[in-house]
Amino acid sequence: MKLPLNTDLTGKTVVITGAGGVLGGMFAKALAQAGGKVALLDLNQEAAEKAAKEISEEGYIAKGYAANVLQKESLAAAHEQIKKDFGLCDILINGAGGNNPKATTDQEYYVPGELKEGEKSFFDLEQSGVEFVFNLNFIGTLLPTQEFAQDMLEKEGCNIINISSMNAYTPLTKIPAYSGAKAAVSNFTEWLAVHFSKSRIRVNGIAPGFFATKQNRELLFEKDGTPTPRTGKILAATPLGRFGESEELIGTLLFLLNNEASGFITGVVIPVDGGFQAYSGV
Ligand code: NAD
């Protein structure tokens, strides 16, 4: 990959959660190439190890670890091993997250009498499904930060990057838990930036627009791969008229991690969205 910016992370320990996934895996590749020692954490250990292996085979430093961002003990165990392998954490990317069908309504609008047999309405959403999605995105950002930011208190130039979403600005239809959770992630980014300001840890976020990946596939494509009507709406509401490519997040990531370029920036969430957030639809 040709890195769009020259950010030197040589010697820095980078921890990325959800790194077995599409975006996290791309972040890992880029940050290893920038010189970082990259710890790829994922609930899916096999996916994290596979992504790490690909990076190592290209001559960069990376290792996969099993970790559940919702379990303190699991994070602590991964942390112990990372300290032995790479030393104290300098950079944490909170990438694990996503939506789930259990927290998704089948209809955009509740119109009495229009619900078809078997469809899930707002009234059918189960607390457990809503809690699962809310926790994965919000608690799954908070717990890894509690774990890995401890290392940063002893170091200089440390950074935390949270991954928010377009849902944080204006909720998308059907996915109330994911929308609320990402709004919480953006809010928490600001809160943490203030909280850690005297500890000289910068905390920023990236709000990706629409990138076709595993976690949103069911909403964007039918089983046979044809685009859903929702995909048409998304593209119509994205002035640049296309989905983003995951590589297009890397420039913003490298900028936010570059202490010379963005050393006075903390508490911002940058949309990388082809103009989606700026467009009123008219
Ligand atoms: P993805 O599904 O490809 O990757 C998510 C990864 O998180 C998976 O590998 C999964 O195994 C892992 N994960 C799930 N639960 C976990 C847990 N409890 N502990 C540890 N790991 C866990 O999704 P992605 O599109 O690469 O999304 C990455 C981040 O970007 C997410 O926070 C997502 O909400 C956000 N995001 C994605 C888009 C998009 O268009 N793809 C847009 C906005 C925001």
Side-chain angles (χ1 to χ4, degrees):
M1 179 192 326
K2 186 178 177 310
L3 295 182
L5 279 181
N6 195 7
T7 294
D8 185 6
L9 302 180
T10 305
K12 301 225 176 194
T13 300
V14 179
V15 174
I16 305 179
T17 70
V22 178
L23 300 185
M26 176 58 61
F27 298 158
K29 255 188 214 168
L31 300 186
Q33 207 175 318
K37 298 176 279 183
V38 181
L40 291 88
L41 274 56
D42 206 288
L43 190 59
N44 182 344
Q45 182 173 6
E46 207 183 321
E49 285 176 349
K50 185 167 173 277
K53 189 164 172 266
E54 283 170 21
I55 295 170
S56 316
E57 281 171 358
E58 288 188 26
Y60 304 110
I61 305 169
K63 193 173 166 193
Y65 302 82
N68 183 347
V69 293
L70 297 174
Q71 280 178 6
K72 265 179 167 280
E73 310 73 48
S74 158
L75 290 163
H79 192 182
E80 272 316 297
Q81 194 54 48
I82 293 166
K83 277 198 261 189
K84 285 185 197 139
D85 294 337
F86 294 149
L88 298 180
C89 175
D90 299 89
I91 292 169
L92 170 65
I93 317 283
N94 282 309
N99 188 40
N100 187 282
K102 287 189 186 136
T104 305
T105 64
D106 286 322
Q107 299 289 1
E108 292 189 336
Y109 308 101
Y110 189 83
V111 183
E114 278 198 3
L115 205 67
K116 297 192 194 90
E117 183 69 27
E119 279 186 337
K120 186 165 14 84
S121 82
F122 167 71
F123 299 104
D124 301 318
L125 293 180
E126 283 179 27
Q127 183 177 340
S128 59
V130 172
E131 278 174 354
F132 173 80
V133 170
F134 199 86
N135 287 348
L136 172 58
N137 291 280
F138 180 65
I139 304 293
T141 296
L142 186 138
L143 293 184
T145 304
Q146 284 184 320
E147 186 64 43
F148 291 100
Q150 294 176 51
D151 289 5
M152 300 182 186
L153 302 173
E154 301 172 32
K155 305 194 99 181
E156 285 294 324
C158 294
N159 278 284
I160 298 170
I161 305 285
N162 296 331
I163 306 302
S164 185
S165 154
M166 285 303 106
N167 287 279
Y169 303 93
T170 307
L172 285 139
T173 56
K174 296 187 172 183
I175 49 177
Y178 184 67
S179 299
K182 288 301 192 185
V185 167
S186 286
N187 186 286
F188 182 54
T189 302
E190 296 176 342
W191 186 90
L192 263 184
V194 174
H195 194 64
F196 283 150
S197 55
K198 310 296 181 233
S199 314
R200 297 175 315 282
I201 302 169
R202 291 191 301 122
V203 186
N204 291 296
I206 297 175
F210 294 86
F211 296 73
T213 64
K214 271 183 283 184
Q215 59 104 4
N216 55 18
R217 190 171 293 149
E218 283 188 36
L219 284 167
L220 300 180
F221 299 99
E222 308 288 3
K223 288 206 168 66
D224 64 4
T226 54
T228 60
R230 194 174 178 87
T231 290
K233 280 182 150 187
I234 289 167
L235 295 181
T238 302
L240 293 188
R242 61 176 176 83
F243 286 117
E245 299 293 334
S246 39
E247 291 86 345
E248 290 178 298
L249 295 166
I250 298 306
T252 306
L253 181 65
L254 289 172
F255 167 69
L256 289 174
L257 293 178
N258 185 317
N259 292 327
E260 283 77 47
S262 64
F264 199 49
I265 297 180
T266 193
V268 305
V269 179
I270 300 185
V272 181
D273 65 346
F276 183 91
Q277 199 263 320
Y279 182 45
S280 70
V282 179

